[in-house]
Amino acid sequence: QKEVEQDPGPLSVPEGAIVSLNCTYSNSAFQYFMWYRQYSRKGPELLMYTYSSGNKEDGRFTAQVDKSSKYISLFIRDSQPSDSATYLCAMIRTGNTPLVFGKGTRLSVIA
Amino acid sequence: GAVVSQHPSWVICKSGTSVKIECRSLDFQATTMFWYRQFPKQSLMLMATSNEGSKATYEQGVEKDKFLINHASLTLSTLTVTSAHPEDSSFYICSARDVSGNTYGYTFGSGTRLTVV
C-alpha cells in the first residue's frame, strides 16, 4: 500500500460546479497536509496547508482534514476554467522532511 | 512570499554532455533543498535532499555520480546531470521551505524541462 493514495482522474466538470478532491494516507505520523496546484510544465504552487483536523477556508477553496480516518479533501466552489490543472495532495511528518505526494488529480473545468 | 528561482526553464542537450540546473531562494535562506523529477502525467518523485554545506542524500535508485548536487550556500543549490542520455529527459523541479516563516508549505521552482537528443 502506498503511503498516499490519490485518484489520478481525469476529472471533468462544468464551470460553476463544486469540485471535491480527496486523498487517503496510511501513516499516522503525517502531521502537516498541503494541496498544490500544478499547471502543465510549471512547478507546483501551494494552495492550502493545514495541521489539525477540521476545515480551513481560503476564498473558493476549502481544505478538510480528518486525521482519525486518515483522509483529506480539497473543495473548490464555483469552479472556473482557470482552475483546470493537476492538483496534488502532499504531507510531511515533521521538520524539514521531504514532502510525500499523491499521484495528482487532473481537473478540467469546461466553460 | 517565499520565491524559488530555477534556471534554465528549458534546455536541449546532446547525448553525453552535462547540464547544470540552478535553484536560488530569492528572499529567504534555504538550509535544505529538495530535488524532484517528474515524467509526463506522473507525480513528483524525490531524487535527493540537499543540505547546505554537506553532501546530498539520494533516494534509492538515484545515481549520485550521475546527478551531482551542490548546495554551497544558503540561497543556491545546483543539480548537474552528467553524461546525459535520452532516458534522462524529464522535468526537474527543486523546492525549499522558508523556516523563518509560519507556514509549513514548501515553495517550488518553476521547473526545468530537459530534453536529451
Side-chain angles (χ1 to χ4, degrees):
Chain A
Q1 181 187 10
K2 291 190 176 180
E3 281 193 294
V4 180
E5 299 277 2
Q6 182 177 10
D7 186 341
L11 180 63
S12 184
V13 301
E15 183 176 358
I18 297 174
V19 176
S20 173
L21 305 167
N22 311 294
C23 287
T24 59
Y25 61 98
S26 57
N27 192 335
S28 58
F30 288 126
Q31 295 190 30
Y32 304 97
F33 306 90
M34 296 131 202
W35 284 95
Y36 284 85
R37 177 174 62 195
Q38 186 179 23
Y39 293 111
S40 181
R41 302 189 179 191
K42 298 290 185 183
E45 169 195 10
L46 179 65
L47 283 177
M48 302 280 286
Y49 72 96
T50 55
Y51 170 69
S52 55
S53 285
N55 294 351
K56 182 177 181 179
E57 190 174 317
D58 184 1
R60 297 185 294 112
F61 299 92
T62 299
Q64 190 175 76
V65 174
D66 183 346
K67 287 189 174 182
S68 63
S69 300
K70 297 189 182 67
Y71 186 90
I72 67 171
S73 300
L74 177 70
F75 298 96
I76 307 174
R77 291 184 299 280
D78 187 26
S79 56
Q80 303 295 311
S82 58
D83 294 328
S84 298
T86 296
Y87 290 80
L88 299 134
C89 64
M91 46 200 78
I92 58 173
R93 296 172 180 81
T94 58
N96 234 7
T97 55
L99 289 168
V100 179
F101 283 95
K103 281 190 172 182
T105 300
R106 294 177 62 200
L107 171 67
S108 293
V109 181
I110 310 301
Chain B
V3 176
V4 174
S5 175
Q6 183 172 347
H7 294 281
S9 58
W10 180 62
V11 59
I12 298 177
C13 71
K14 289 186 177 181
S15 187
T17 61
S18 296
V19 173
K20 180 183 282 189
I21 301 169
E22 286 191 356
C23 270
R24 293 181 183 272
S25 54
L26 296 187
D27 48 2
F28 67 100
Q29 294 184 331
T31 54
T32 303
M33 278 202 180
F34 304 96
W35 287 93
Y36 296 84
R37 65 188 299 181
Q38 185 178 34
F39 291 106
K41 299 184 181 180
Q42 294 189 23
S43 191
L44 287 79
M45 295 188 60
L46 180 67
M47 297 176 67
T49 301
S50 156
N51 290 298
E52 184 266 337
S54 62
K55 290 184 178 181
T57 302
Y58 291 82
E59 295 300 298
Q60 192 173 10
V62 177
E63 299 175 59
K64 61 180 180 181
D65 295 329
K66 181 169 192 58
F67 299 100
L68 301 179
I69 293 174
N70 183 281
H71 194 160
S73 78
L74 287 171
T75 59
L76 174 64
S77 178
T78 61
L79 167 66
T80 301
V81 183
T82 63
S83 187
H85 288 95
E87 57 265 31
D88 299 323
S89 299
S90 188
F91 192 56
Y92 294 87
I93 315 174
C94 62
S95 78
R97 181 166 72 93
D98 180 3
V99 297
S100 66
N102 59 3
T103 172
Y104 283 88
Y106 287 62
T107 301
F108 284 81
S110 54
T112 297
R113 181 159 302 280
L114 171 64
T115 301
V116 184
V117 298

